[in-house]
Amino acid sequence: MKVVFMGLEFSINNLGCEALSYSFASMLNSIAMEKNTPLEIVTIVFADKMVPYIPGTDNAIKCIGIHYKSPSFWKEIKREFKSSDLIVDFTMGDSFSDIYGVKRFVLDALVKNMAVRSKTPYVLGPQTYGPYNKSFVRRWAKKIIKKAKAVYARDITSRKVAAELSGREVGLTTDVAFALPYEKEQLDDNNKIKVAFNPSGLLWIGGYTHDNQFGLTIDYQEYCKEICRTVSNDSRYELFLIPHVGTHSDTDGSYENDGGVCAELKKQFPNATIINDFHTPMEVKGYLAAMDVFIGARMHATIGAFSCGVATIPVSYSRKFEGLYGSLGYDYVIQATAVDTKKAIDTTLQYIENYKELQEAVVKSLDTVKEKQAEFKKSLTDILFD
């Protein structure tokens, strides 16, 4: 079977996006193996400089680079769409919205339109839907959702948004990145509680627009510094700084660079250890699995830690966090758009102090994750082999 991916990147220097991609490729491969069917994957990507492989195989994934202004790009994806058995679109997990700008939505939607017109079954994979702040964006999203073969949301709020907008049934599952394979790293056992912190370079500079684009009610830089200061000065803890975007750069000033923020925090808090000795989402998940506590504002970084059973403290700048974790019955989320800086700091430190309570909640929630993923996999299998 031949499947085309949309909105899934394998080498974009954003380990969260990559985790989503490798996880779904792994799921499809397990379906193909169960059905004893060869699998061919084609993916439409911004970063096409490498050849990724389906995890656990030597089966290469074909990458088609996105070049919106090139007629040959549109001709090529038209051919690929028509010759495939299924098109699955994840829109990077959270980008089927105008929260990141109207231009980004429009360019994505143009490719979605072509996929729908191909007549090949087009599936919207588990993702966040909305918000749709512009009326024309809302109308365009409605048309796309209505025409998809199947639509899946990864949280209750998104399912409600998509269902009410389109008037159609929307399946509820969870983020497929929970299933990303990994091997746990072995760190020095010094009897200290290992606390990992992932500072978001995007929030550090105020979003794409540099003017508090996401409407945070906290001073994010102050929050990061105070958490690092308190943890690094407490002899019970060992602090690790783990970038998830821009992992190997401490000089790149772009909005995607967590590495630069980690380097800056390391200068102020030399007791902290930066971990960036990885190149794939599977490798970073191995390090996350070795932690006792993880704090982060990158969605898929929190998913990586959570899925390993680590006490996870997501710092929310978008309803996608509350939606995803609320659907799992996990309430330990710092709402950075609803509380002040002091409250966010105090609550985070309280959660760290009571991390074993969080671990128990994580384990309970993971039972729900397994159930939802099994249901999604069965539904996808039925679509492919109907």
Side-chain angles (χ1 to χ4, degrees), residues 183-252:
E183 292 185 10
K184 184 177 178 179
E185 290 289 336
Q186 299 301 316
L187 301 180
D188 291 339
D189 185 7
N190 52 14
N191 293 319
K192 290 190 175 185
I193 299 166
K194 293 176 170 54
V195 179
F197 189 77
N198 163 233
S200 166
L202 180 59
L203 298 188
W204 185 270
I205 64 166
Y208 297 94
T209 58
H210 294 213
D211 63 354
N212 193 20
Q213 179 183 9
F214 302 108
L216 300 189
T217 52
I218 70 171
D219 182 324
Y220 185 69
Q221 292 193 15
E222 181 183 343
Y223 170 82
C224 293
K225 292 173 184 177
E226 189 56 37
I227 296 301
C228 289
R229 178 181 295 108
T230 303
V231 173
S232 64
N233 287 337
D234 192 320
S235 61
R236 294 175 298 168
Y237 303 126
E238 184 176 12
L239 176 63
F240 297 87
L241 300 172
I242 304 182
H244 211 67
V245 176
T247 56
H248 296 283
S249 173
D250 60 5
T251 57
D252 177 12

Side-chain angles (χ1 to χ4, degrees), residues 60-305:
I61 297 171
K62 178 182 178 181
C63 293
I64 299 175
I66 295 174
H67 301 284
Y68 294 116
K69 295 181 180 180
S70 170
S72 62
F73 163 70
W74 295 100
K75 290 179 182 178
E76 184 174 12
I77 63 171
K78 184 177 181 180
R79 288 194 303 269
E80 295 291 354
F81 286 157
K82 287 191 173 183
S83 65
S84 65
D85 298 297
L86 184 69
I87 304 166
V88 187
D89 184 3
F90 280 79
T91 329
M92 307 291 273
D94 69 346
S95 295
F96 198 4
S97 165
D98 53 7
I99 188 175
Y100 296 119
V102 171
K103 180 180 178 181
R104 181 164 164 178
F105 173 87
V106 169
L107 292 174
D108 276 347
L110 290 172
V111 182
K112 294 178 191 294
N113 280 357
M114 181 168 283
V116 168
R117 289 197 298 266
S118 72
K119 303 303 181 183
T120 295
Y122 170 72
V123 171
L124 285 165
Q127 58 192 286
T128 299
Y129 295 91
Y132 304 111
N133 298 307
K134 300 289 186 181
S135 59
F136 88 91
V137 168
R138 197 156 40 249
R139 291 193 300 271
W140 201 341
K142 175 181 178 179
K143 290 180 181 178
I144 292 168
I145 295 170
K146 285 176 70 71
K147 292 181 179 180
K149 170 76 172 178
V151 181
Y152 301 93
R154 64 183 181 182
D155 65 81
I156 294 171
T157 302
S158 288
R159 180 174 68 170
K160 182 179 179 181
V161 168
E164 290 182 350
L165 185 65
S166 64
R168 65 167 299 164
E169 181 180 353
V170 176
L172 178 63
T173 179
T174 191
D175 198 295
V176 299
F178 279 106
L180 183 71
Y182 70 99
E183 292 185 10
K184 184 177 178 179
E185 290 289 336
Q186 299 301 316
L187 301 180
D188 291 339
D189 185 7
N190 52 14
N191 293 319
K192 290 190 175 185
I193 299 166
K194 293 176 170 54
V195 179
F197 189 77
N198 163 233
S200 166
L202 180 59
L203 298 188
W204 185 270
I205 64 166
Y208 297 94
T209 58
H210 294 213
D211 63 354
N212 193 20
Q213 179 183 9
F214 302 108
L216 300 189
T217 52
I218 70 171
D219 182 324
Y220 185 69
Q221 292 193 15
E222 181 183 343
Y223 170 82
C224 293
K225 292 173 184 177
E226 189 56 37
I227 296 301
C228 289
R229 178 181 295 108
T230 303
V231 173
S232 64
N233 287 337
D234 192 320
S235 61
R236 294 175 298 168
Y237 303 126
E238 184 176 12
L239 176 63
F240 297 87
L241 300 172
I242 304 182
H244 211 67
V245 176
T247 56
H248 296 283
S249 173
D250 60 5
T251 57
D252 177 12
S254 74
Y255 61 80
E256 290 293 350
N257 182 22
D258 298 351
V261 179
C262 286
E264 186 170 336
L265 290 171
K266 169 70 174 176
K267 290 178 182 177
Q268 296 184 46
F269 310 105
N271 288 340
T273 299
I274 295 178
I275 296 181
N276 60 2
D277 185 24
F278 44 76
H279 296 86
T280 71
M282 290 76 78
E283 291 172 353
V284 71
K285 187 170 179 178
Y287 281 106
L288 295 177
M291 301 297 158
D292 296 299
V293 184
F294 178 78
I295 310 153
R298 296 287 189 180
M299 175 71 129
H300 283 99
T302 66
I303 288 174

